[in-house]
Amino acid sequence: MNTKAILAVLVLFGVAFGSYKAGQKSIPQNSNLEEVKNKISTDLVALTQKDFEEYQNLKSLEERYQKADEILGKIVTVFLADLGVKLAFKATSADTLEGSCNISTSPTVATAQASSPLPPEPTPASAPPIAPAKPVNEWIVHEKSLLEVRDERQAFEDLKKMEIKDLFSSLRQSSAVSTKNSEFILGVYSGEITFFDRKKHKSDWLMSWDVRLRNPNKEDAFALIILTNKDNGKVISRSQTSSGPLRDYVTVPGSKALIVNIRADAAYIQIYPLNGNTQIWVGNVYEQTKLGEYAMVGQVRLTKQ
C-alpha cells in the first residue's frame, strides 16, 4: 500500500473515532449504554495498535495490501457497531413519531380549511377595440372612380392615388390571363411611357405590344413587347413569348387592372381601359429598385392600332 492509501485509512479511522466521540456527547447517560460504548472504545484502540504494528512489520507489498484491507474492514465494523448502539439508545418523542406519520392532531382546523370557499376568479379585463384592418390592396378602392373618368388629364391624376405600394405582394396574388379571356388584349397596341425623374431617365420610352392566339382552345399564344428610347430610337428591350400561356399579362383578385411584365421582371405597367374603352389604356409604370421591391417611376398611355 502506498502513502496515499495509508493516509486514507488514517483519515477513515479519524472520522470513525470522531463520530464515536461526538455520539458520546449527544446520548443521555445510561449505565448499560456506557458499558457497551466503553467496550467498543477499548476494542477500537486495541485493534488499531495491534494491527498497525503488524502492518509496519510486513515486507511484501501484497501482504501490506491485504493487511490494509483487514484494518479498514475492522474500522468500518466498529464504526457501524457504535452507530447502532447510539440509535438503539436514542429516545424518540411522540412529536417526532407524529410528524413522521403525517397524522393531523387538529381535525377542526383542517375541516375549517377544507370548507372555506375559494376566492373568486378575477374578471378578465375587457380587450381594447380592434381597429378595422386596412385592405391589403388599398389602390383597388379608387378604381371605380377612375373607370368613370373620361378626361385623360384627370385620369392620370387619379392614377397617382392608385400607386401599388407593394407590387411584389400583388404579383404573388395574381394569375395569368387565360387565352379564353384574352380578347380584350388581343391585337397591336402602341404608346408612350413618360417618366417623373428626368435625372434618372433622360428620355421617355416608346412601347408596343402584339398579342395573338395560336390555338384558341389551348393555352397557346404569341406575345411580343418592345421598348424603344424615344430620343434616339434605340431598342431597350424585346420580350417575346412564342408559345404557351400569357404569363406576362396578369390580373389581381378584386382588381380591374391589367398588370403587364414589360421588361423581364425589371419593369411592369398597371393599366386600365379609359372610361371602360379597351381602345385606350392608361396606367402607372414601375421599375425594380432591388430584388422583390418596385417603385412607381412614371405613367403610360397606349392605343389600339
Side-chain angles (χ1 to χ4, degrees):
M1 177 180 288
N2 55 26
T3 305
K4 291 184 179 180
I6 296 172
L7 290 174
V9 172
L10 292 174
V11 170
L12 184 56
F13 166 72
V15 171
F17 194 76
S19 300
Y20 168 73
K21 288 299 181 181
Q24 270 190 327
K25 298 178 181 179
S26 63
I27 301 175
Q29 296 299 318
N30 183 292
S31 59
N32 293 333
L33 176 60
E34 285 299 322
E35 290 177 5
V36 175
K37 287 169 62 179
N38 289 336
K39 179 66 169 59
I40 292 173
S41 176
T42 302
D43 290 345
L44 180 60
V45 173
L47 162 69
T48 54
Q49 288 179 349
K50 181 180 178 182
D51 285 337
F52 275 104
E53 288 175 1
E54 292 179 2
Y55 173 82
Q56 291 175 351
N57 294 327
L58 294 175
K59 305 295 183 182
S60 167
L61 185 61
E62 182 178 356
E63 290 176 340
R64 287 197 170 197
Y65 271 120
Q66 292 176 353
K67 190 62 179 177
D69 289 339
E70 181 183 344
I71 294 172
L72 182 61
K74 289 181 180 180
I75 290 175
V76 172
T77 301
V78 173
F79 173 74
L80 293 177
D82 180 57
L83 181 63
V85 169
K86 290 189 288 185
L87 291 176
F89 282 87
K90 184 177 181 180
T92 305
S93 65
D95 292 338
T96 305
L97 288 175
E98 181 182 344
S100 63
C101 296
N102 198 23
I103 300 174
S104 174
T105 58
S106 306
T108 305
V109 176
T111 304
Q113 290 176 348
S115 61
S116 60
L118 295 175
E121 294 185 2
T123 305
S126 58
I130 301 175
K134 294 182 179 181
V136 177
N137 299 322
E138 295 182 14
W139 46 276
I140 295 178
V141 177
H142 303 281
E143 288 184 342
K144 184 177 180 181
S145 59
L146 174 68
L147 296 174
E148 296 174 353
V149 173
R150 295 190 178 186
D151 181 70
E152 287 190 23
R153 187 174 297 179
Q154 182 61 48
F156 282 117
E157 287 301 317
D158 290 347
L159 280 166
K160 291 178 181 178
K161 303 175 185 177
M162 298 165 58
E163 175 185 358
I164 304 176
K165 299 294 185 180
D166 189 354
L167 180 63
F168 183 72
S169 295
S170 296
L171 291 173
R172 292 178 63 183
Q173 303 173 36
S174 68
S175 56
V177 175
S178 67
T179 55
K180 294 181 180 180
N181 299 320
S182 62
E183 183 178 353
F184 69 105
I185 60 171
L186 297 180
V188 177
Y189 287 79
S190 62
E192 184 176 331
I193 293 175
T194 305
F195 292 105
F196 300 140
D197 188 351
R198 288 299 174 186
K199 292 181 180 179
K200 184 176 180 180
H201 296 91
K202 296 181 180 180
S203 172
D204 293 331
W205 294 352
L206 300 178
M207 174 185 167
S208 66
W209 88 47
D210 183 2
V211 179
R212 308 172 204 166
L213 297 183
R214 294 168 56 88
N215 189 336
N217 297 322
K218 296 182 180 180
E219 290 297 323
D220 189 8
F222 168 85
L224 174 65
I225 297 176
I226 300 175
L227 298 176
T228 307
N229 188 304
K230 183 180 179 181
D231 289 352
N232 56 26
K234 233 175 156 180
V235 174
I236 298 169
S237 73
R238 183 185 180 94
S239 304
Q240 180 174 323
T241 300
S242 57
S243 63
L246 294 166
R247 283 189 289 260
D248 290 336
Y249 299 79
V250 301
T251 57
V252 176
S255 171
K256 300 294 184 181
L258 174 67
I259 300 178
V260 185
N261 183 359
I262 62 173
R263 196 181 180 188
D265 297 329
Y268 285 83
I269 58 174
Q270 163 203 8
I271 57 176
Y272 300 85
L274 183 64
N275 195 30
N277 181 4
T278 57
Q279 301 295 310
I280 302 175
W281 293 75
V282 293
N284 297 323
V285 181
Y286 300 84
E287 278 191 328
Q288 188 178 50
T289 55
K290 60 182 179 179
L291 188 62
E293 293 186 10
Y294 294 84
M296 193 172 93
V297 295
Q299 292 183 313
V300 60
R301 181 186 187 278
L302 299 170
T303 57
K304 191 171 185 178
Q305 305 301 306

